[in-house]
Amino acid sequence: ADEGPGEWHRWSTVADFVQASNDRSQGAIEPSDTLCIAESMVRWIVLGGAWLGVGLQYIALDRKPEDVCEIKNLARGQSGLLLCLELVSTEEDMGTLEFAGDGTLAGTATTLRLTKPWWGSQRVVCGDSAFASVACAERLLENGLRFIGVVKSATRRFPMETLGAVTMPVRGGWRSMVSIAPGEERPKFAADVWVDRDRRYFIRSCGDDREGDEIRRKRWRVLDGGPVQDEVTLRQPAFAQKYYEAASVIDRHNRIRQDDIGLEKTFVVRDWATRVNSALLAMTGANAYLLYRGSVSGDGAMTVGAWMKELCPGMIFNNWERTGTRSGRGGGSAVRAAPLREFPSSGVSGRLSPTRKVRKENPNAAYRKRCAVCSTQRSRFVCS
């Protein structure tokens, strides 16, 4: 994306935001003992083919309700706070990134880039089939991280046929195979199969195959007397329990961003960079809400909507790191805005409303007033 000044400028409007978000998250959030790697989809609908003209990948997936562009991310396995993001661009651009090429799978290269700040910490990385492979588990173990992942398509050096031929007549059963290097006594890797509704295959460099906590699910059954709600129990191994406890946190983060905050559905844009940046802003809001929920116990916690109403005024009317100037009256001299020691609050949530005045030359267009802070930009919204 750096072939020319124009291309670099278009990417910088998004890449700088991603880098700043990564730097702030890594400096302020301490990772838990488990990390979850997955993807987030940003709603984007365009015409004219499967690729945007700016190098951002456009994906039409049957399992997704809307066409999207993709962001890979890494999160804490307990709270779901996002730690690191990576934009997915064209295949040519992704091939120039660190760890790409030389036969390295794309999922393995992405995992190595996102987890690099925590190499040597012996944390457990949980990844789905987009990232899981024997090669990914090996590369992470070489760099001081452990791995648990579900294998589907990346089956090279994985005993898929052997585990698939194992007979397990009931749901909840599992079998394991281990890999022991010559001259060593303890296994480095294990390949497992566990039967739920279907067979699920795991590659891991940690954990054990002891029995974990039972899974309890509510199911409706049709009996002679009519439909009855019943509780179904299912056995699961300890490694599957550890994986699924962490694997769903990014999905929960995505639901908060897309369904509860809903910025991608309510904020209409015409520029791809504005759409991606607004999604990054919504991710920051979801991070803030998850941090709030982690500090509040009981049923008194606010909903996402109520929390955002409290958060937005604080983001708009804040004096943190304030370095702007305000024009003085009379001689037009600039008076430096002094930062306040405390955040000003009137106790009433702020809101923005459009101006009622319209332009003389175009009655359908709102009149834009000069901003009282920067004094140069004009806006059709005023504080009320």
Side-chain angles (χ1 to χ4, degrees):
D2 56 354
E3 297 178 357
E7 293 293 329
W8 178 87
H9 175 72
R10 286 192 294 186
W11 269 106
S12 65
T13 57
V14 176
D16 290 348
F17 196 173
V18 172
Q19 187 60 48
S21 176
N22 291 342
D23 294 341
R24 181 59 64 91
S25 297
Q26 295 170 20
I29 302 174
E30 179 67 23
S32 57
D33 61 337
T34 57
L35 302 172
C36 174
I37 184 170
E39 67 279 338
S40 295
M41 302 297 182
V42 179
R43 181 175 183 261
W44 179 253
I45 300 176
V46 295
L47 300 176
W51 295 90
L52 297 176
V54 295
L56 192 68
Q57 191 174 9
Y58 168 87
I59 307 172
L61 300 175
D62 293 338
R63 70 178 186 273
K64 301 296 181 182
E66 295 172 343
D67 298 329
V68 293
C69 58
E70 187 177 13
I71 298 177
K72 303 292 186 182
N73 42 37
L74 186 75
R76 295 180 87 249
Q78 295 178 353
S79 63
L81 295 172
L82 295 184
L83 298 169
C84 194
L85 309 175
E86 181 180 273
L87 291 170
V88 178
S89 59
T90 63
E91 184 177 356
E92 292 77 10
D93 289 339
M94 300 301 292
T96 62
L97 299 179
E98 189 178 11
F99 306 117
D102 298 331
T104 304
L105 297 175
T108 301
T110 301
T111 304
L112 292 173
R113 288 192 296 268
L114 292 179
T115 60
K116 188 175 181 178
W118 298 280
W119 284 1
S121 63
Q122 300 300 321
R123 288 182 168 88
V124 179
V125 180
C126 298
D128 58 15
S129 58
F131 309 92
S133 65
V134 175
C136 184
E138 286 181 337
R139 295 290 296 273
L140 288 178
L141 189 62
E142 292 173 359
N143 292 285
L145 290 174
R146 295 170 290 174
F147 184 76
I148 303 177
V150 175
V151 177
K152 287 185 179 180
S153 57
T155 59
R156 184 177 180 181
R157 299 165 56 200
F158 185 85
M160 182 71 75
E161 295 183 2
T162 304
L163 292 175
V166 175
T167 302
M168 285 182 288
V170 296
R171 290 173 58 178
W174 65 89
R175 295 291 185 273
S176 301
M177 298 177 63
V178 297
S179 172
I180 303 177
E184 297 185 3
E185 297 181 356
R186 300 185 60 183
K188 280 189 174 182
F189 305 99
D192 313 274
V193 58
W194 174 56
V195 180
D196 188 1
R197 293 183 180 89
D198 50 10
R199 293 192 175 217
R200 303 181 184 181
Y201 301 90
F202 294 82
I203 180 67
R204 57 186 174 91
S205 57
C206 63
D208 54 64
D209 57 356
R210 291 179 298 179
E211 184 171 353
D213 298 335
E214 277 190 337
I215 300 176
R216 298 181 179 273
R217 298 168 178 164
K218 298 291 184 180
R219 292 290 184 267
W220 286 96
R221 300 182 182 274
V222 179
L223 304 178
D224 296 337
V228 177
Q229 191 178 40
D230 194 10
E231 185 179 71
V232 179
T233 60
L234 181 69
R235 297 170 60 237
Q236 67 171 339
F239 63 83
Q241 178 181 348
K242 189 174 187 64
Y243 170 79
Y244 285 110
E245 285 176 351
S248 62
V249 294
I250 292 183
D251 292 334
R252 182 180 62 174
H253 194 284
N254 291 335
R255 286 193 296 269
I256 294 175
R257 171 177 59 88
Q258 293 178 317
D259 295 338
D260 297 333
I261 298 178
L263 191 60
E264 297 170 27
K265 297 180 179 179
T266 58
F267 182 41
V268 180
V269 301
R270 297 182 181 274
D271 178 63
W272 71 274
T274 306
R275 165 58 68 218
V276 177
N277 282 331
S278 66
L280 295 173
L281 179 62
M283 290 180 182
T284 304
N287 261 9
Y289 178 74
L290 290 174
L291 185 62
Y292 159 74
R293 283 302 304 265
S295 61
V296 177
S297 60
D299 299 331
M302 291 186 291
T303 62
V304 178
W307 165 253
M308 293 305 297
K309 288 183 179 179
E310 296 292 332
L311 177 65
C312 288
M315 296 177 65
I316 297 172
F317 307 106
N318 73 82
N319 292 284
W320 304 310
E321 302 178 359
R322 186 174 179 181
T323 58
T325 59
R326 181 174 299 176
S327 299
R329 297 181 180 179
S333 60
V335 179
R336 190 172 186 81
L340 300 180
R341 292 178 178 270
E342 298 181 356
F343 177 74
S345 175
S346 60
V348 179
S349 297
R351 64 186 180 93
L352 299 177
S353 60
T355 57
R356 298 181 180 179
K357 188 177 180 180
V358 298
R359 299 181 183 177
K360 293 182 180 179
E361 64 275 10
N362 186 3
N364 294 324
Y367 180 78
R368 295 178 180 269
K369 291 186 176 182
R370 187 177 297 275
C371 178
V373 177
C374 66
S375 72
T376 57
Q377 302 295 328
R378 293 180 179 271
S379 173
R380 61 183 296 265
F381 293 94
V382 295
C383 180
S384 61

